[in-house]
Every structure is written in structure tokens, then in C-alpha cells.
Amino acid sequence: AVMSLGGIVANKSIKIAGNKMNAGIVQEIYRLLRWDHIALVKENLSKITYEINHMKTYLRTALYNSFFELETVTQNRISKDVR
């Protein structure tokens, strides 16, 4: 039986970067993504010089990580511009 906790699905998992994670939590992170997260993933994808064999898996992880990376990337760009 699957139990829902405030919109978070329990007992379902999804792999992100090879780690099983609660699917509801991953879904919530995806729900919080904005255009600038997508732009970051697109920018990073355009810099890759190697072939990605499993694009769906790559994008799933890249989108999830973009939620946590965007602030750091933005701060680094601002610091670089200030110098």
C-alpha cells in the first residue's frame, strides 16, 4: 500500500546519481524548479564533450542537482564579476 504524506508518496523510490531516493521528495524538488534551473542544466549540457549514453538518467540527475547548485553558481558568477 502506498501512503501519501502531504503530497509526498511513500514507499516509491527513484534513482538519482545512482542513489535510491523517495520519489515524493524528488517530485517536490522538480516542482520547485524555475526557468533558471533549466537554463543551468542546458548550459552545462552544452559544455559536455563526451557522449551521454543514458540521457534520461543524466537529465533526471542534472535537474535534481540544479536545485542545489544554482545558488552556488550564481554566487560564484557575482564574485567573479566583482573582482
Side-chain angles (χ1 to χ4, degrees):
V2 175
M3 180 174 44
S4 179
L5 306 170
I8 295 178
V9 179
N11 297 332
K12 295 244 181 189
S13 63
I14 188 169
K15 279 192 174 184
I16 300 290
N19 300 312
K20 281 189 174 184
M21 301 190 68
N22 179 286
I25 293 171
V26 174
Q27 183 179 21
E28 184 64 17
I29 294 296
Y30 287 164
R31 191 182 71 72
L32 295 172
L33 296 179
R34 300 182 317 262
W35 70 267
D36 43 350
H37 295 102
I38 308 302
L40 176 63
V41 171
K42 184 179 174 188
E43 178 185 338
N44 290 342
L45 190 58
S46 72
K47 294 177 183 177
I48 293 176
T49 58
Y50 53 87
E51 183 179 349
I52 298 171
N53 295 321
H54 303 282
M55 183 61 77
K56 183 177 176 181
T57 302
Y58 176 87
L59 288 174
R60 183 184 298 141
T61 298
L63 287 166
Y64 180 86
N65 288 341
S66 73
F67 180 78
F68 304 99
E69 292 174 7
L70 183 64
E71 185 176 346
T72 302
V73 169
T74 303
Q75 287 175 350
N76 288 343
R77 287 179 181 163
I78 290 171
S79 296
K80 185 178 178 182
D81 289 344
V82 171
R83 288 185 212 162

